[in-house]
Amino acid sequence: MKHFAGFMTGALALAAFAGSALSDGMVVRAPAPPPAPPPVTDRCAPGPWTGFYIGGNLGWASLDGDFRDHDRFFSHRRHWDDEEDSFTAGIQGGYNLQCGNVVFGFETDINWADFDRDKVHWGHFFPSEPFHRSRSMDWFGTIRGRIGWTNDRIMVYATGGAAYTDLERKWHGFGLGSDETPSLFHRDSDDVTWGWVAGGGVEWLWSPNLTFKAEALWLEFEDGSSRRPIQFGEDDWRVHRFDFDDDMVVVRVGLNWKFGHRGPPPYEPLK
């Protein structure tokens, strides 16, 4: 009991001292607040590649094609192939979005080319009635997506999408039916031809607004087929089968002018 009485006496004395101290103006400090969390960095903050751009390109293209006469109407051969080269020049435009070290974008281009070949083949009636075959292309274009990796100065990218062109094909001449009855056949194909394109390249950010690039593309155009009835007599029509396909390789260099400027932090100015 004496111990309890002593404890209570000490507690009352301490409370009286604290009250006296507060009444005399002593300040009691509150505990310090916890540190603020680190700022969240936006990984897709506009980087040096982000923005719209336009530009031009120069290069070389090789057009390869195949023609197949399944029923040997024109000659004893079933297959012919062509390969032709041309310089190309064009313009392009697109948009990039940089997220960290990854760049997403799209690009479209239209290009001039000069493919024009007319061949005369040894047919059933050569040389009096040879078999003629021609192919020409004046322009082509692509609509592509792009994805690349960058260290803010150099970007390595892959690309792919749709391709289109004005590929014109013609073939005509005398041929023979299965019973060696002669007939004249003529066919023109001059429509916009669609296909696909895939490739890759490297692009260098020379200044905040100017880039240089080098890329290679593979273009595969849609195959064509013809199941045409050919007249061999007044009431004698027979179906003959012709197929053709074309693909192209393009290697080129170009430059782009990017609109806008380098984005805000966390990126620093180019050095």
Side-chain angles (χ1 to χ4, degrees), residues 218-230:
W218 175 276
L219 295 85
E220 181 80 28
F221 298 108
E222 61 183 331
D223 298 345
S225 62
S226 177
R227 304 294 186 267
R228 299 296 295 266
I230 301 176

Side-chain angles (χ1 to χ4, degrees), residues 5 9 69 78 98 101 130 149 159 165 186 189-190 196 208 220 249:
T9 302
D69 180 0
R78 294 182 185 270
Q98 182 176 349
N101 295 111
W149 180 92
T159 183
T165 182
H186 184 277
S189 175
D190 188 18
W196 57 266
E220 181 80 28
V249 174

Side-chain angles (χ1 to χ4, degrees), residues 12-55:
L12 290 173
L14 180 62
F17 174 77
S20 175
L22 289 174
S23 64
D24 290 342
M26 181 180 290
V27 178
V28 178
R29 298 182 181 276
V40 178
T41 302
D42 184 2
R43 295 295 295 166
C44 284
W49 291 94
T50 297
F52 290 95
Y53 62 88
I54 59 172

Side-chain angles (χ1 to χ4, degrees), residues 1-253:
M1 194 67 179
K2 291 180 179 180
H3 292 291
F4 178 74
F7 173 78
M8 291 299 296
T9 302
L12 290 173
L14 180 62
F17 174 77
S20 175
L22 289 174
S23 64
D24 290 342
M26 181 180 290
V27 178
V28 178
R29 298 182 181 276
V40 178
T41 302
D42 184 2
R43 295 295 295 166
C44 284
W49 291 94
T50 297
F52 290 95
Y53 62 88
I54 59 172
N57 67 79
L58 292 171
W60 164 89
S62 178
L63 180 63
D64 188 24
D66 294 290
F67 175 78
R68 290 172 292 274
D69 180 0
H70 293 278
D71 302 301
R72 297 180 178 176
F73 173 75
F74 290 111
S75 78
H76 294 292
R77 292 178 59 183
R78 294 182 185 270
H79 175 262
W80 290 266
D81 63 293
D82 289 316
E83 186 172 352
E84 189 178 358
D85 298 333
S86 171
F87 287 106
T88 69
I91 57 175
Q92 70 269 349
Y95 179 80
N96 289 322
L97 173 63
Q98 182 176 349
C99 292
N101 295 111
V102 181
V103 179
F104 305 92
F106 70 87
E107 181 173 295
T108 183
D109 59 63
I110 188 73
N111 309 274
W112 167 86
D114 184 21
F115 294 105
D116 190 1
R117 173 165 291 188
D118 188 358
K119 283 195 169 184
V120 178
H121 299 282
W122 187 292
H124 294 302
F125 297 95
F126 189 87
S128 60
E129 294 290 344
F131 163 41
H132 292 266
R133 187 170 58 89
S134 64
R135 179 189 63 184
S136 64
M137 177 197 295
D138 297 324
W139 58 266
F140 67 93
T142 70
I143 305 170
R144 295 174 284 114
R146 301 203 309 171
I147 182 170
W149 180 92
T150 181
N151 63 358
D152 284 355
R153 178 71 78 173
I154 302 293
M155 177 173 65
V156 180
Y157 63 89
T159 183
Y164 57 97
T165 182
D166 71 333
L167 189 60
E168 180 181 10
R169 307 178 182 95
K170 297 180 180 180
W171 56 95
H172 61 91
F174 273 94
L176 293 175
S178 56
D179 59 355
E180 297 191 354
T181 303
S183 180
L184 177 65
F185 179 77
H186 184 277
R187 170 71 191 275
D188 289 353
S189 175
D190 188 18
D191 301 323
V192 173
T193 303
W194 287 85
W196 57 266
V197 56
V202 179
E203 195 162 355
W204 175 39
L205 188 65
W206 187 74
S207 74
N209 298 98
L210 186 63
T211 71
F212 295 94
K213 71 173 184 176
E215 68 180 1
L217 301 175
W218 175 276
L219 295 85
E220 181 80 28
F221 298 108
E222 61 183 331
D223 298 345
S225 62
S226 177
R227 304 294 186 267
R228 299 296 295 266
I230 301 176
Q231 186 175 12
F232 291 89
E234 184 176 353
D235 297 316
D236 184 9
W237 292 82
R238 307 171 201 171
V239 175
H240 281 258
R241 301 167 296 163
F242 308 101
D243 293 337
F244 48 88
D245 61 77
D246 297 275
D247 53 70
M248 185 168 63
V249 174
V250 178
V251 179
R252 62 190 182 185
V253 295

